[in-house]
């Protein structure tokens, strides 16, 4: 049973990372206005959020800059221009995917960048490449996380081997990523215990990035908090790919550290997130995401179902079962 | 830590109760068509649902029959006519509120009624009246539950006294009801432990009825399952007052008993729930419900906010904080 003190008190070590622009960018092709990003940054300062992930550092040889908003690439100069003067209280992060980021060329020393944290996204079977990226980023002076995706389809032995390799790298934080939104809190507790055992042995922090396919993104995040996980991803109004992420307004309401403030978050949602949704950006729990979550599948088919405006849920269920 | 066997196996004793017409009726003034109710009943048979709650047995002296649909009153003859031939596999229940049901007159013997189960809804401070209703219903041959509402604002000593009184009554099941959607899973575990300790001592089953103000209705329900609670309320597409309830499609996907079937549920949602929502019925998680949930308040102000089409979340936050 979780200590009730974790509900009424708080842990200083907890870090909240706002991933709205990065995971939400997967919803709208990273087409956020400069004003949106700047106001979000200011809001995160007021809300007490610790890190703001401002997008990807994607390889421009692989991705056409004319097809995506600038936050898929996050040029240092452009980030610095939009953010304006940096506030010490909110650090900036970008995500770099294994195989999709020309890191040796495109990531310069931290001293010359507004970015503080590089988050390396990897699958279990690309850990050596991830470790090379981690070492490169550490050598350049950044804080670094490793976000190990899609672990719900990986073998436990492989996950352990991945953790062992990452723990021997200079990475600071290792994330549990429930990419398919298929994990229940009872399972999250076991996964957290496994990751925490490595983290404690090797002095690494553990993080959690949840998806809302089964309406469990917030529940799994606070399960992880109760299990001792300190780095928590969330997004405004839960914006994120498919069923979205843990809503930051839920999370800040739960955390009892007085540094966190829900009111500026509510204001930003009213002023920016509601208009974004009314403008046609689509994310959040719906039946098609439950189906892929239940079947532990990548959400891509559910996203295509949503984008095409389909409503024939029974036909879609037959399709996803046939994929199994 | 929960036994993993509860995830991969199942407990025979679990009962799923579909409360769509009853709690969902609070959304649309019980204006469900006969076809809707009949098709829902057929769907519940196919889905393996154990009980279907078909509405309230409200006192017609207190409530104007012209202002509400028939499911607020659930006349036995009318229920029997709409349902047609009863199927042994799905039992029918109605809810009777303390102080709002003329039970001595309006509840006839079970032998003359299509109803199998009477659910007595009570606050902690009206238990003696609830016990009188429980005894009346038991004497008439019904299965009976006591649904103790709004426990998140009650003192623990009062809850224990209520449990003691209910356990000494002939009631079959005692429900944990998170009326305000303010309870976190860590707290639910403690509440479940308390209720289970009384249930085990007196031979009563325990149930859970959750609300989704903090996106935790499903999470709290499966937390309760893991804690040994057997009677589970859920509704199609989570339809219910304000932020709604635990979605039955989430719950049946989680339960591993092969008697439960998600496909007919998906079909009913496609055919009936989606049109209902498109027709203007409003329920489900939104920011205003998070606020009242966080502040442990009755959702009535959030419902009024929703009904009036307001979008000024920041103003609403100031209002609910001022209520505190």
């Amino acid at each position: 049973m979780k200590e009730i003190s974790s509900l009424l008190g708080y842990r200083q070590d907890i870090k909240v990372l706002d991933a709205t622009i990065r995971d939400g960018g997967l919803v709208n092709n990273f087409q956020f206005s400069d004003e949106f990003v700047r106001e979000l940054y200011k809001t995160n300062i007021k809300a007490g959020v610790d890190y703001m992930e401002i997008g990807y550092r994607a390889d421009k040889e692989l991705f056409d800059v004319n097809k995506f908003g600038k936050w898929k690439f996050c040029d240092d100069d452009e980030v610095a221009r939009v953010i304006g003067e940096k506030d010490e209280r909110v650090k900036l992060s970008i995500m770099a995917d294994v195989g999709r980021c020309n890191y040796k060329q495109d990531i310069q020393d931290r001293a010359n960048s507004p970015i503080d944290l590089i988050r390396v996204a990897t699958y279990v079977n690309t850990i050596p490449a991830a470790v090379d990226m981690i070492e490169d980023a550490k050598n350049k002076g950044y804080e670094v996380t490793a976000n190990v995706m899609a672990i719900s389809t990986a073998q436990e032995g492989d996950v352990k081997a991945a953790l062992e390799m990452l723990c021997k790298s200079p990475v600071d934080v290792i994330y549990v990523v429930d990419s398919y939104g298929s994990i229940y809190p009872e399972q999250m507790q076991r996964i957290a215990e496994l990751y925490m055992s490595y983290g404690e042995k090797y002095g690494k922090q553990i993080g959690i990035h949840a998806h809302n396919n089964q309406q469990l993104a917030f529940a799994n995040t606070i399960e992880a908090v109760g299990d001792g996980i300190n780095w928590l991803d969330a997004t405004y109004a839960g914006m994120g790919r498919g069923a979205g992420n843990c809503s930051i307004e839920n999370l800040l309401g739960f955390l009892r550290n007085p540094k966190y403030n829900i009111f500026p978050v509510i204001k930003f949602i009213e002023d920016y997130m509601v208009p974004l949704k009314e403008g046609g950006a689509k994310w959040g729990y719906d039946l098609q995401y439950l189906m892929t979550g239940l079947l532990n599948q990548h959400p891509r088919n559910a996203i295509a179902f949503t984008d095409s405006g389909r409503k024939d849920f029974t036909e879609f269920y037959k399709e996803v079962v046939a994929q199994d």
Side-chain angles (χ1 to χ4, degrees), chain A:
Chain A
M1 195 175 283
K2 313 255 179 293
E3 286 175 44
I4 201 75
S5 63
S6 71
L7 270 178
L8 296 180
Y10 62 89
R11 291 203 305 271
Q12 289 281 7
D13 294 340
I14 283 179
K15 305 288 180 197
V16 174
L17 185 145
D18 161 34
T20 307
I21 303 299
R22 202 272 307 162
D23 210 321
L26 297 169
V27 172
N28 71 347
N29 270 333
F30 305 90
Q31 305 289 357
F32 297 102
S33 70
D34 289 358
E35 176 195 328
F36 187 103
V37 175
R38 193 180 299 122
E39 290 302 317
L40 181 57
Y41 182 68
K42 287 186 197 161
T43 301
N44 280 325
I45 295 167
K46 289 183 198 154
V49 169
D50 302 282
Y51 288 81
M52 172 172 167
E53 190 154 87
I54 204 153
Y56 284 93
R57 180 69 47 85
D59 186 347
K60 291 178 183 172
E61 305 267 320
L62 285 173
F63 298 95
D64 186 343
V65 294
N66 298 312
K67 289 192 178 155
F68 299 94
K70 66 177 88 157
W71 311 105
K72 189 169 175 80
F73 306 99
C74 287
D75 294 345
D76 282 328
D77 293 349
E78 193 56 17
V79 170
R81 187 188 66 76
V82 172
I83 292 299
E85 197 177 350
K86 266 188 78 181
D87 188 297
E88 289 298 308
R89 289 169 289 181
V90 180
K91 292 182 177 177
L92 292 180
S93 79
I94 51 171
M95 185 162 270
D97 284 348
V98 167
R100 297 182 187 174
C101 173
N102 189 356
Y103 51 100
K104 286 187 178 153
Q105 170 191 302
D106 290 344
I107 297 180
Q108 53 180 330
D109 283 352
R110 183 179 179 183
N112 306 320
S113 168
I115 306 300
D116 304 286
L117 168 68
I118 307 284
R119 302 213 303 169
V120 175
T122 177
Y123 290 103
V124 169
N125 63 355
T126 54
I127 298 292
V131 169
D132 196 56
M133 293 173 74
I134 290 163
E135 289 172 349
D136 180 77
K138 281 306 282 188
N139 287 337
K140 289 170 177 167
Y142 293 95
E143 299 176 48
V144 184
T145 78
N147 295 37
V148 187
M149 301 183 290
I151 53 164
S152 59
T153 55
Q155 299 294 315
E156 189 172 337
D158 293 346
V159 172
K160 285 179 179 169
L163 288 171
E164 193 79 33
M165 281 190 272
L166 289 172
C167 280
K168 288 175 178 163
S169 83
V171 78
D172 300 297
V173 187
I174 302 171
Y175 265 82
V176 178
V177 184
D178 181 17
S179 304
Y180 302 163
S182 66
I183 295 173
Y184 294 111
E186 295 173 48
Q187 298 169 307
M188 186 56 73
Q189 189 175 6
R190 286 174 168 72
I191 294 165
E193 193 177 63
L194 175 66
Y195 278 61
M196 291 290 293
S197 72
Y198 280 87
E200 281 162 13
K201 185 171 167 196
Y202 291 94
K204 308 294 188 189
Q205 288 285 326
I206 307 299
I208 169 75
H209 180 88
H211 278 274
N212 207 32
N213 295 61
Q214 300 205 65
Q215 300 199 61
L216 292 172
F218 174 50
N220 276 326
T221 302
I222 63 178
E223 167 64 43
V225 172
D227 299 332
I229 285 180
N230 280 337
W231 283 59
L232 314 175
D233 278 17
T235 64
Y236 282 68
M239 187 182 191
R241 187 165 68 171
N245 298 119
C246 172
S247 296
I248 203 164
E249 59 275 21
N250 282 255
L251 184 60
L252 297 191
F254 171 80
L255 296 171
R256 293 288 184 254
N257 187 333
K259 74 170 279 202
Y260 297 121
N261 244 316
I262 197 173
F263 187 68
V265 174
I266 291 168
K267 181 152 174 50
F268 187 85
I269 292 174
E270 179 180 330
D271 292 344
Y272 290 93
M273 301 307 293
V274 172
L276 199 66
K277 204 151 203 174
E278 287 175 351
K282 283 181 194 152
W283 74 89
Y285 171 78
D286 205 348
L287 210 41
Q288 62 274 32
Y289 298 115
L290 169 63
M291 297 181 206
T292 59
L294 270 176
L295 293 166
N296 198 12
Q297 290 179 8
H298 193 286
R300 67 175 73 85
N301 293 321
I303 293 168
F305 178 91
T306 307
D307 288 346
S308 65
R310 285 176 61 183
K311 297 281 175 69
D312 54 332
F313 294 106
T314 49
E315 284 308 308
F316 182 69
Y317 187 72
K318 293 175 192 170
E319 291 167 22
V320 293
V321 167
Q323 300 264 335
D324 224 22

